[in-house]
Amino acid sequence: MNKLLDEALSIDIAARIKSKAKKPFDNAYKAALATEGAIYVQGFLATKGKPYQPMEYAWIELSDRIVDPTLPHHRKNVEELWYFPAQSFTVVKLKAIIEESQEDYPEDDPLPVYGDAPYEYYGDVMLGGKDYLQAFQAAEAKCREVNKSIAENN
């Protein structure tokens, strides 16, 4: 993936939707609804420094740009963030998935969205298919690469 993060637009959209820390899925959903032509993307975020491992994450994409409505809450330079997509949805498809999820499982949060069962499990928390696993492994490798010097110094 060679899409660039649009920092200015990320900050602008975050302010418009009143994004919240630690709510990347909700923030991306709201941003997708508020942004014409947006594609909602789920995957993983790798960062330099803590938490030293990939975070399951969501953002939106506009053609060749990444827009991260959770960006203002990270307190990291954009050069220390790497995005690894696992799956993406148009706003129409995402709305349909969420509507169906709320009807079928009203007590559960509809986000993040996973594919059809059976899932392939990795780790002990996250669900997803092969695309999710590949994105996770790529993000995990990036975390090891960028945090190698930190681990060596400790």
Side-chain angles (χ1 to χ4, degrees):
M1 182 186 89
N2 295 324
K3 295 184 180 189
L4 296 176
L5 176 63
D6 188 327
E7 184 177 7
L9 187 55
S10 294
I11 292 167
D12 177 55
I13 288 175
R16 278 195 281 143
I17 66 162
K18 297 178 174 68
S19 79
K20 295 182 173 84
K22 300 181 183 179
K23 294 285 188 180
F25 302 102
D26 292 339
N27 294 337
Y29 177 63
K30 289 176 187 172
L33 294 178
T35 309
E36 189 173 330
I39 300 294
Y40 171 92
V41 182
Q42 283 183 189
F44 296 90
L45 179 68
T47 64
K48 186 171 185 176
K50 289 184 180 180
Y52 305 111
Q53 61 189 10
M55 292 180 280
E56 194 171 18
Y57 205 74
W59 60 93
I60 64 171
E61 292 182 357
L62 297 170
S63 61
D64 63 341
R65 298 177 289 161
I66 292 171
V67 178
D68 181 353
T70 311
L71 179 67
H73 304 288
H74 283 302
R75 296 182 183 93
K76 293 191 181 283
N77 295 323
V78 296
E79 297 82 23
E80 298 176 330
L81 303 172
W82 295 271
Y83 298 80
F84 294 87
Q87 62 183 347
S88 59
F89 303 101
T90 64
V91 171
V92 171
K93 176 74 172 166
L94 183 61
K95 281 179 165 180
I97 290 168
I98 288 179
E99 188 175 292
E100 182 179 342
S101 295
Q102 289 173 330
E103 287 174 10
D104 294 346
Y105 306 101
E107 66 283 351
D108 294 337
D109 190 345
L111 294 171
V113 174
Y114 297 108
D116 296 328
Y119 301 113
E120 294 194 22
Y121 289 86
Y122 51 96
D124 58 358
V125 178
M126 295 171 272
L127 302 171
K130 284 187 179 18
D131 293 341
Y132 244 75
L133 179 60
Q134 290 170 347
F136 176 77
Q137 289 170 336
E140 191 175 46
K142 187 66 174 182
C143 283
R144 279 194 303 271
E145 172 193 326
V146 300
N147 291 306
K148 185 177 181 180
S149 63
I150 294 170
E152 289 171 352
N153 291 333
N154 287 332

